[in-house]
């Protein structure tokens, strides 16, 4: 029987993310009877240029409720899209953007728009009898991403004394994704044993990484290198390290003030500090080393570090092609973090990946600190051959569900699956 791809009904509901904060799920039913849903995450460390995450205000959930955004899905978005063919993703997203009418998607809410956008893609894939990665990427989507596994949390993701937000391991020496996942898990557990043996806390932060108090960032790096070795792996060969400095909130006038330590550096001193760390430890990627509106500073950082280090723009670009093109013109960064909820629709997310790839930028699909059991970013990473993914520690089900989805995709792809491994490195 011929499947009907037209939208019959659409509604939104308030659910909880991994921090116990409300977020949105959109549910769509097609005329042919197919049902699909998608949930959206929420970030704690957010850039000021991100699309608007609509919250209710008031007393319920401390003002963080999303019933107003859920109501926008029921009306007017459902009325706008009723009868629309879900295979026309561009049209669905364009119609929502036109109805919203704002640059930041502040009328309907980017959270409402993204939930609907992703749910429609899931429905189209299901009605087509295809896995989402295959529906979005066709026969070309075959690359399993190198995981950037956050095993040590700091910054706004943890209540410890560490200012750098994320310390991640990248198992670049693996031949397959499943082997890379095993390496990362073994390093994670080795780090837990090390911390326990030294009387340090093994409590975890928002993204599942350990979050003890340590003397300084270098001690965190030393512990990670030791954990790699204790797992029987070679630092810099089998497993490398990536950092997310998340410095946008550090900038005060002309100095970067470490929020927890209180010490400060000028931009040039901060870059020298990161360069020192990269020379001493097997660091291959640094995200947001400078503030979110400093295109010139990022260009300087890329000239200084970019031959050997992946310089990643997150708050700088916010998955926005206009800001990405400004960065490309200025020579700012050489990689972009892709977070669908920063921009608010699937079609704009995919366009950001296309523009980045076209200009030689690395692409990294990313979760947020407030996550759900939704695994869409895993499929997008494979569909776009992004090559890298950030989805937290190999702990907490809202993180591991993405890894488990990638394991399933690897199995579906069989011998066609590609794992880029060391191919994503720049000069180390």
């Amino acid at each position: 029987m011929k499947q009907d791809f037209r939208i019959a009904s659409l509604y939104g509901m308030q659910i909880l993310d991994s921090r116990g904060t409300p977020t949105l799920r959109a549910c769509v039913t097609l005329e042919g009877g197919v049902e699909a849903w998608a949930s959206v995450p929420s970030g704690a460390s957010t850039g000021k240029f991100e699309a608007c995450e609509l919250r209710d205000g008031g007393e319920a959930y401390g003002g963080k409720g999303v019933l107003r955004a859920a109501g926008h899905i029921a009306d007017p978005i459902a009325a706008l899209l009723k009868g629309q063919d879900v295979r026309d993703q561009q049209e669905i997203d364009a119609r929502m953007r036109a109805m919203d009418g704002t640059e930041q998607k502040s009328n309907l809410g980017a959270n409402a728009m993204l939930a609907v956008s992703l749910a429609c893609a899931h429905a189209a894939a299901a009605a087509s009898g295809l896995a989402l990665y295959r529906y979005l990427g066709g026969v070309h989507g075959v690359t399993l991403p190198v995981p950037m596994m956050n095993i040590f949390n700091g910054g706004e993701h943890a209540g410890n004394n560490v200012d750098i937000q994320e310390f991640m391991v990248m198992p670049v020496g693996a031949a397959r994704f499943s082997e890379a996942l095993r390496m990362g898990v073994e390093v994670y557990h080795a780090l837990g044993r090390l911390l326990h043996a030294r009387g340090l806390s093994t409590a975890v932060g928002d993204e599942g990484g350990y979050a003890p108090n340590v003397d300084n960032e270098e001690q965190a790096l030393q512990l990670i290198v030791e954990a790699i070795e204790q797992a029987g792996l070679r630092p810099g060969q089998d497993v490398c390290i990536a950092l997310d400095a998340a410095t946008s909130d550090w900038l005060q006038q002309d100095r970067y003030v470490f929020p927890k330590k209180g010490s400060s550096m000028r931009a040039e001193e901060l870059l020298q500090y990161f360069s020192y760390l990269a020379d001493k430890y097997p660091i291959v990627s640094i995200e947001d080393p400078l503030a979110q509106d400093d295109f010139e500073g990022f260009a300087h950082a890329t000239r200084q570090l970019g031959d050997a280090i992946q310089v990643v723009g997150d708050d700088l670009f916010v998955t926005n092609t206009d800001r990405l093109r400004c960065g490309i013109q200025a020579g700012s960064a050489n990689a972009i973090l892709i977070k669908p909820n920063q921009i608010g629709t699937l079609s704009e997310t995919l366009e950001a990946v296309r523009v980045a790839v076209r200009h030689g930028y690395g692409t990294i699909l990313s979760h947020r600190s407030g996550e759900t059991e939704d695994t869409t970013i895993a499929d997008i990473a494979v569909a776009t051959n992004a090559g890298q993914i950030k989805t937290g520690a190999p702990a907490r089900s809202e993180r591991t569900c993405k890894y488990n989805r990638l394991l399933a995709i690897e199995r579906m792809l069989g011998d066609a699956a590609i794992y880029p491994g060391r191919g994503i490195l720049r000069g180390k």
Side-chain angles (χ1 to χ4, degrees), residues 3 20 57 72 104 175 281 346 382 393 395 409:
Q3 186 62 264
H72 288 170
Q104 297 298 103
Y281 301 96
L346 176 59
V382 177
I409 293 174

Side-chain angles (χ1 to χ4, degrees), residues 8 55 72 78 88 120 134 169 177 237 243 252 259 280 326 355 357 402 422:
R55 297 283 181 179
H72 288 170
D88 196 343
C120 288
R134 179 65 73 215
V169 290
F177 174 80
Q237 295 296 315
L243 302 178
Q252 295 182 21
K280 188 172 181 180
C326 288
V355 171
V357 170
K402 279 78 163 171
R422 297 189 63 82

Side-chain angles (χ1 to χ4, degrees), residues 52 97-109 113:
C52 173
R97 289 197 303 271
M99 172 175 276
D100 177 86
T102 68
E103 184 177 351
Q104 297 298 103
K105 302 177 175 69
S106 55
N107 284 331
L108 295 175
M113 293 171 64

Side-chain angles (χ1 to χ4, degrees), residues 165-416:
Q165 188 158 278
E166 298 179 35
F167 297 75
M168 297 165 279
V169 290
M170 300 179 67
V172 296
R176 295 179 58 80
F177 174 80
S178 50
E179 181 186 358
L181 185 63
R182 175 187 59 77
M183 288 180 175
V185 168
E186 291 175 355
V187 172
Y188 178 75
H189 289 303
L191 178 59
R193 291 191 296 271
L194 268 175
L195 295 175
H196 179 74
R198 298 183 187 186
L200 296 171
S201 171
T202 54
V204 300
D206 283 353
E207 297 181 357
Y210 300 112
N213 287 318
V214 292
D215 293 340
N216 50 44
E217 275 73 12
E218 277 208 71
Q219 187 185 8
L221 288 165
Q222 290 162 2
L223 285 164
I224 292 170
V225 168
E226 190 172 345
I228 294 170
E229 292 171 339
Q230 288 203 4
L233 300 166
R234 300 167 297 172
Q237 295 296 315
D238 299 316
V239 180
C240 295
I241 297 174
L243 302 178
D244 175 8
T247 63
S248 289
D249 293 333
W250 299 8
L251 186 61
Q252 295 182 21
Q253 296 179 332
D254 62 343
R255 297 187 72 85
Y256 285 84
V257 180
F258 288 68
K260 298 177 181 180
K261 295 182 183 63
S263 58
S264 68
M265 296 181 182
R266 295 189 305 273
E268 182 58 38
E269 292 174 314
L270 186 59
L271 291 182
Q272 289 173 356
Y273 173 61
F274 289 135
S275 180
Y276 159 76
L277 292 179
D279 286 341
K280 188 172 181 180
Y281 301 96
I283 295 169
V284 296
S285 180
I286 300 178
E287 180 184 330
D288 283 352
L290 295 172
Q292 59 197 316
D293 46 11
D294 192 357
F295 283 99
E296 182 179 347
F298 259 87
H300 178 62
T302 308
R303 289 192 297 271
Q304 182 173 328
L305 303 171
D307 287 343
I309 295 290
Q310 181 173 250
V311 180
V312 184
D314 174 19
D315 292 345
L316 183 73
F317 296 137
V318 293
T319 318
N320 184 306
T321 53
D322 290 337
R323 293 187 63 80
L324 175 57
R325 288 187 177 98
C326 288
I328 291 167
Q329 185 173 2
S332 305
N334 52 33
I336 179 174
L337 209 66
I338 300 292
K339 294 175 175 174
N341 84 318
Q342 285 182 328
I343 193 63
T345 67
L346 176 59
S347 57
E348 290 170 290
T349 300
L350 297 177
E351 178 62 14
V353 175
R354 284 192 289 268
V355 171
V357 170
R358 196 178 306 135
H359 289 87
Y361 276 52
T363 52
I364 307 158
L365 261 291
S366 179
H367 64 161
R368 302 306 298 256
S369 53
E371 261 297 339
T372 75
E373 61 272 32
D374 188 295
T375 61
T376 304
I377 61 167
D379 283 76
I380 295 175
V382 177
T384 59
N385 295 303
Q388 299 172 75
I389 192 169
K390 275 181 65 173
T391 189
R396 300 181 49 145
S397 59
E398 79 279 359
R399 315 293 156 182
T400 58
C401 65
K402 279 78 163 171
Y403 294 124
N404 291 338
R405 175 60 181 164
L406 289 167
L407 288 172
I409 293 174
E410 181 181 65
R411 182 177 177 84
M412 285 186 275
L413 285 170
D415 291 341

